[in-house]
Amino acid sequence: MFSKSYNQGDKRSKQINTLKVFNENVYEKVPGEEYQVEPLAGDFIIFIKLPANFPDSKPSIIVVPAISHPWVDEKTGEVSNAPGVRNFSEHSDLGRVVHAIVRELTKRQQQIGTPVKQIATSPPSAPNTFGQIGQPNLNLADNEQSMLRSALSSLSVAQLQSLTESEDQCDEFLEQLPPIKILEDEIDRIIAENEQISKETLEREGRLQELKEKVQEKVARVQSLSNHYEELSISYQELSNKFMPSAIKESLHSAAHECDQRSDKIAEQFLEGEMDIDAFLSDYIDARKMGHSRRVKEEKLSKQLHDLEKASY
């Protein structure tokens, strides 16, 4: 049922956390939406705006002031051509992407000798009211700085030069630092845990579907029983109306009247010579006897109903 390890909010929070981890001086402008990074080594400010469906959509990253660089639109200052921005996906790390941009723009400024900041520290459309998030984990503690110095001191001049010239080698070197490895291990652990949760959820999906089908079958059964109950209720009501004392009285009255009509018709047939006397006597007496019997029953029932009606008042 859940096809991804994190829901949208979890993935967004994870990306924001990487922004704090890999960059210095991160300020929050609008919680969960807009952030500001002020690099210590660069004379510029980075503004990050996260769209509603981030990280499924790319972030908007603007540098102020706009720096002359192939990655940057010199009119708007938007960093749109950086590899990390162009290829950004939910599997990218926002913090690393911004860190790579800061490093590249800082190096560019050092090459062209851009003067110290001379413009406002926020875009024209946004007030500079931020709450500082707190220094990221890469603002290393003393022991971590010692490990970093030790790692750098073990490199040759050629290797150090290679690190300054190759982003890939520099990233690879940073990934081997103990704090970064610890962070990576923790991220891998969390991802593995969420993948296991997702796997277990998918395994339960079959059982859930089975239970759902059983519930649907029971609902159909209940509906069928309900329809049958309605039919029986209608039949009961019809029988109840049919066998009510008042209905029986009316039936006896109608039956007695039919017997009278039948006896009158037999008499007419005899007078017209259509039947002999024996057949006449047999049929006529039976009809009159049945009519009399029904009329007596009708009168007796009428009396009983009358007595019951009187007793009820």
Side-chain angles (χ1 to χ4, degrees):
M1 295 182 292
F2 297 102
S3 60
K4 298 182 180 179
S5 299
Y6 298 96
N7 60 33
Q8 192 72 13
D10 292 332
K11 292 188 292 184
R12 193 181 189 93
S13 298
K14 175 189 171 186
Q15 291 287 349
I16 293 172
N17 287 337
T18 65
L19 180 65
K20 304 172 189 177
V21 168
F22 288 100
N23 298 275
E24 300 174 321
N25 294 341
V26 179
Y27 296 85
E28 189 171 55
K29 178 180 176 183
V30 178
E33 294 182 11
E34 297 183 15
Y35 294 86
Q36 173 179 316
V37 178
E38 297 185 6
L40 294 177
D43 296 326
F44 56 86
I45 298 175
I46 298 290
F47 293 93
I48 302 104
K49 184 172 183 180
L50 308 180
N53 58 343
F54 177 83
D56 293 332
S57 293
K58 301 176 182 179
S60 173
I61 301 177
I62 298 175
V63 58
V64 178
I67 296 174
S68 178
H69 191 282
W71 291 2
V72 180
D73 185 320
E74 294 187 6
K75 292 182 179 180
T76 64
E78 183 173 3
V79 184
S80 56
N81 290 323
V85 176
R86 285 203 315 268
N87 302 319
F88 193 89
S89 70
E90 62 177 297
H91 303 295
S92 303
D93 284 336
L94 177 62
R96 290 191 177 187
V97 171
V98 173
H99 181 70
I101 292 172
V102 170
R103 188 176 57 208
E104 176 66 20
L105 296 184
T106 300
K107 184 168 63 175
R108 179 68 171 180
Q109 279 195 332
Q110 291 171 351
Q111 291 173 351
I112 64 176
T114 303
V116 179
K117 303 180 182 105
Q118 296 177 350
I119 66 166
T121 58
S122 62
S125 59
N128 185 20
T129 54
F130 302 96
Q132 189 166 7
I133 294 174
Q135 297 305 313
N137 293 341
L138 287 184
N139 192 4
L140 305 177
D142 291 342
N143 62 331
E144 294 170 339
Q145 290 178 359
S146 298
M147 286 186 289
L148 176 58
R149 284 195 296 269
S150 176
L152 290 172
S153 63
S154 65
L155 300 178
S156 65
V157 175
Q159 289 175 321
L160 291 173
Q161 183 65 29
S162 179
L163 288 179
T164 62
E165 295 175 352
S166 172
E167 292 184 12
D168 292 338
Q169 292 187 25
C170 185
D171 288 340
E172 184 178 350
F173 172 77
L174 291 174
E175 288 173 0
Q176 298 304 315
L177 293 176
I180 302 301
K181 292 183 70 174
I182 292 172
L183 178 62
E184 291 286 355
D185 291 342
E186 180 66 13
I187 292 174
D188 291 341
R189 183 189 66 79
I190 294 173
I191 291 175
E193 287 181 357
N194 281 275
E195 286 178 348
Q196 180 63 28
I197 293 172
S198 178
K199 181 180 178 181
E200 292 174 357
T201 301
L202 290 173
E203 289 174 352
R204 292 190 180 100
E205 187 174 6
R207 175 60 177 165
L208 179 61
Q209 184 64 30
E210 181 182 342
L211 293 175
K212 182 179 178 181
E213 290 174 357
K214 288 184 178 180
V215 170
Q216 290 175 342
E217 290 176 0
K218 291 183 178 180
V219 169
R221 175 63 177 163
V222 169
Q223 185 62 43
S224 176
L225 292 174
S226 176
N227 294 338
H228 185 57
Y229 170 78
E230 291 294 334
E231 293 173 359
L232 292 177
S233 295
I234 294 172
S235 177
Y236 166 79
Q237 190 61 43
E238 292 175 351
L239 292 173
S240 177
N241 293 335
K242 181 178 179 180
F243 291 104
M244 286 179 63
S246 58
I248 295 174
K249 176 177 172 295
E250 290 297 327
S251 296
L252 288 171
H253 178 77
S254 298
H257 182 66
E258 289 176 359
C259 289
D260 290 342
Q261 288 181 329
R262 180 166 171 265
S263 64
D264 291 342
K265 185 176 181 180
I266 292 171
E268 291 176 1
Q269 290 176 339
F270 174 71
L271 293 174
E272 293 176 357
E274 295 179 1
M275 62 169 50
D276 57 34
I277 188 169
D278 292 333
F280 164 71
L281 290 175
S282 176
D283 293 345
Y284 184 79
I285 291 172
D286 288 343
R288 297 297 292 181
K289 186 187 296 184
M290 184 176 292
H292 177 73
S293 174
R294 290 174 176 175
R295 193 172 290 105
V296 170
K297 291 179 180 179
E298 177 193 357
E299 290 173 356
K300 184 177 180 180
L301 182 59
S302 296
K303 183 177 182 305
Q304 290 175 342
L305 292 174
H306 180 70
D307 293 341
L308 286 173
E309 190 173 328
K310 284 180 64 177
S312 63
Y313 289 104

